[in-house]
């Protein structure tokens, strides 16, 4: 049973000010001495970086598509342990979820799973009385969603605020804040959204402080805290990495027959049995491998797993590294922009997502590290790379040499590739046995040629059927971003391969 006061910060659409309000609230309450936990609905990596800055705790994602609805409350409870308040920032509009799948993974869905009141942030810059109709529509659309208050954003003047408040008196939804237009709280953005904290830390610190000041001045913090405390207790277990790799949230996914690997061919559908449905598209597997016997004894020798970090590789879910550690690894973070060697004793390498295109010259100039990565991969050691990591392992990126682990060339593109994916492992690899299902997402403006190796990493089901990525010796490289809480066996399998 978990009883953490909590709020979900939502909006009618993207661009309404959710990040400003959510991050500002986190920082404002933290400044009052309250331990605050920050969460983000959906797969986005960048907003949680600002949450971390605001709260001093790891920002965490709550993604009901990748992890499944049943893990949302346990993952929330894990992140919010010991806190006096949890603030959950929504994604897109309140009712926008995975396309074609109803409410799944929407902010509304997560709010219901958490039994949390919703605060609706409304961009009021071009309306007055119509705001009441807008709020009424959102409040009445789904009676399972409790909209407990409204924060008016981009209010133009005292007169404008008065008109808005007067209109909302008829809606029955209280106004818990009114924020004026303020340039000082803006955060720099570029082709994939906000600029990550790691790249502009001083600017990010100043932006978070400005958000906190604006929210503290314009919002009813006592009213918001009272609303958060009105959330009832959550039943169920608290997720833990140790329990996950031990099988409490794991177990083995039902292996599925590997489909034909011709390009453009489709994997076979999941078996229509209860077990097959659970391992297939109706819900992601809770684990790829059961925990081996004697795991505790094997942890006496902890293999070093190097995890890429720094400004070029900022995309990572906190639970992934927690699972690696729980599976027996000594996790050591290194910076490919600064470090000329892998951490001493490295037995495995994880390279997540980020913005290598912003630092291509610097990454290319670090030839000693590029050679070290290539030598590690050539030795057969486990290497897991996602998106930016995939580009880093290619021969080149925009014509500049990279690690040369993969026989492929990478280049940036104007075309945005974005969305959830359903995938199946086509061959045994360091993360999954052949036939294991995984859900993830893609988020990039780059092209790799070829897009798949002789042994592709994944056969994709959604949104189109194709093969993607590379499996070569101990290397698993793909555009697919994955959240290992949905499949803790991936971390366990990776660490076991590191032990050799």
């Amino acid at each position: 049973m978990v009883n953490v006061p909590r709020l979900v910060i939502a909006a009618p659409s993207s661009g309404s000010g959710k990040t400003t309000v959510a991050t500002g609230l986190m920082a404002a309450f933290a400044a009052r001495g309250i331990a605050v936990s920050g969460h983000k609905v959906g797969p986005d990596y960048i907003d949680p970086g600002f949450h971390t800055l605001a709260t001093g705790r790891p920002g965490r994602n709550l993604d009901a598509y990748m992890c499944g609805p049943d893990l949302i409350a346990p993952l929330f409870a894990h992140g919010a342990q010991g806190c006096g308040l949890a603030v959950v920032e929504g994604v897109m509009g309140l009712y926008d979820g995975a396309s074609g799948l109803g409410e799944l993974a929407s902010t509304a869905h997560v709010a219901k799973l958490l039994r949390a009141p919703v605060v609706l942030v409304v961009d009021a810059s071009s309306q007055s009385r119509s705001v009441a109709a807008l709020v009424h529509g959102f409040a009445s659309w789904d009676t399972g969603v409790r909209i407990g208050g409204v924060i008016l954003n981009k209010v133009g003047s005292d007169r404008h605020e008065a008109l808005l408040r007067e209109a909302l008196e008829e809606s029955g939804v209280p106004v818990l804040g009114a924020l004026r237009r303020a340039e000082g709280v803006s955060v720099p953005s570029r082709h994939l959204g906000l600029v990550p904290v790691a790249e502009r830390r001083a600017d990010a610190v100043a932006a978070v402080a400005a958000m906190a000041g604006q929210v503290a001045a314009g919002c009813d913090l006592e009213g918001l805290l009272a609303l958060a405390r009105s959330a009832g207790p959550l039943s169920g277990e608290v997720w833990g990495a140790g329990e996950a790799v031990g099988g409490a949230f794991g177990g083995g996914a039902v292996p599925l027959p590997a489909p034909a690997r011709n390009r453009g061919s489709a994997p076979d559908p999941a078996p229509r049995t209860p077990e097959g449905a659970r391992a297939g598209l109706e819900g992601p597997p809770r684990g790829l491998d059961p925990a081996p016997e004697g795991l505790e004894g094997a942890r006496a020798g902890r293999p070093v797993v190097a995890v890429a970090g720094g400004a070029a590789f900022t995309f990572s879910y906190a639970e992934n590294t927690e699972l690696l550690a729980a599976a027996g690894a000594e996790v050591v973070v290194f910076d490919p922009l600064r470090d000329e060697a892998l951490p001493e004793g490295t037995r495995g390498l994880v390279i997540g997502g980020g913005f290598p295109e912003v630092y291509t010259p610097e990454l290319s100039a670090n030839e000693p590290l590029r050679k070290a990565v290539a030598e590690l991969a050539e030795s057969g050691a486990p290497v897991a790379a996602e998106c930016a990591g995939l580009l880093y392992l290619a021969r080149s990126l925009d014509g500049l040499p990279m690690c040369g682990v993969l026989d492929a060339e990478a280049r940036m593109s104007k075309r945005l590739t974005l969305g959830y994916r359903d995938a199946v492992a086509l061959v045994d690899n360091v993360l999954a046995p052949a036939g294991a299902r995984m859900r993830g997402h893609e988020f990039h403006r780059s092209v790799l040629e070829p897009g798949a190796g002789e042994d592709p990493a994944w056969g994709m089901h959604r949104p189109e059927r194709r093969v993607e990525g590379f499996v070569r010796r101990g290397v698993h490289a793909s555009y697919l971003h994955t959240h290992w809480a949905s499949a803790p066996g991936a971390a366990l399998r990776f660490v076991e391969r590191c032990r050799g």
Side-chain angles (χ1 to χ4, degrees), residues 323-350:
L323 284 163
L324 285 170
E330 180 183 346
V331 178
V332 181
V333 178
F334 72 104
D335 186 348
L337 292 175
R338 300 177 180 273
D339 297 322
E340 293 188 344
L342 291 169
E344 184 178 356
T346 293
R347 300 289 298 277
L349 173 61
V350 176

Side-chain angles (χ1 to χ4, degrees), residues 14 42-46 63 65 91-92 97-99 191-193 315 317 387 414-422 440-446 460 462-464 466 479-481:
S14 296
D44 176 68
Y45 293 101
I46 299 175
D63 194 301
Y65 187 89
V91 61
M92 299 187 294
S99 59
H191 57 287
L192 290 181
F315 291 4
Y317 297 124
C387 200
K414 294 182 180 180
R415 181 176 179 270
L416 175 63
T417 300
L418 172 69
Y420 285 123
R421 304 288 185 259
D422 294 328
H441 70 100
E442 284 189 83
F443 184 47
H444 59 89
R445 288 187 186 270
S446 62
M460 297 290 192
R462 170 188 171 91
E464 73 278 340
R466 59 188 170 92
Y479 270 121
L480 191 69
H481 292 289

Side-chain angles (χ1 to χ4, degrees), residues 48-319:
F50 286 88
H51 300 171
T52 298
L53 203 58
T55 66
R57 299 170 61 95
R60 297 180 185 270
N61 294 73
L62 299 172
D63 194 301
Y65 187 89
M66 288 198 295
C67 295
D70 291 347
L71 270 184
I72 295 303
L75 285 170
F76 168 83
H78 170 65
Q81 287 183 99
C83 288
L85 176 66
V87 178
V88 181
E89 179 184 345
V91 61
M92 299 187 294
L94 174 60
Y95 295 109
D96 300 325
S99 59
L101 295 173
E103 71 171 4
L104 178 63
S106 67
T107 303
H109 186 205
V110 171
K112 288 194 284 187
L113 292 169
L114 297 180
R115 299 175 58 195
V118 173
V119 176
L120 195 68
V121 179
V122 176
D123 179 351
S125 58
S126 299
Q127 58 184 314
S128 58
R129 191 165 181 267
S130 295
V131 72
L134 176 69
V135 172
H136 173 75
F138 272 83
S140 60
W141 178 259
D142 184 342
T143 57
V145 176
R146 177 164 69 103
I147 296 182
V150 175
I151 292 177
L152 302 167
N153 193 27
K154 301 180 184 178
V155 176
S157 64
D158 289 346
R159 173 62 177 160
H160 187 202
E161 180 179 340
L163 291 171
L164 295 165
R165 287 181 178 274
E166 180 183 353
L168 284 166
E169 286 178 2
E170 303 175 29
S171 73
V173 180
V175 176
L176 294 175
L179 307 180
R180 301 300 170 88
R181 300 184 183 97
E183 296 298 325
V185 300
S186 62
V187 179
S189 62
R190 58 173 178 236
H191 57 287
L192 290 181
L194 301 181
V195 177
V197 166
E199 294 187 41
R200 301 175 60 107
R201 187 166 185 87
D203 291 340
V205 169
V208 169
M211 293 177 199
Q214 186 188 28
V215 166
C219 293
D220 177 4
L221 295 186
E222 292 302 326
L224 286 161
L225 189 58
L227 179 63
R229 287 172 173 163
S230 72
L234 275 175
S235 59
E237 301 176 65
V238 178
W239 184 88
E243 292 82 358
V245 297
F249 286 86
V254 177
L256 304 177
R261 300 203 320 268
N262 297 325
R263 279 157 182 72
S265 65
D268 295 332
R272 306 309 297 176
T273 63
E275 293 79 14
R278 188 163 57 249
L281 304 187
E282 286 71 18
R286 295 302 177 79
L288 298 178
D289 292 305
E293 294 181 6
L295 176 62
E296 293 296 327
R299 284 177 176 164
R302 301 178 71 87
V304 173
V305 173
V307 176
F313 298 97
T314 55
F315 291 4
S316 176
Y317 297 124
E319 291 81 3

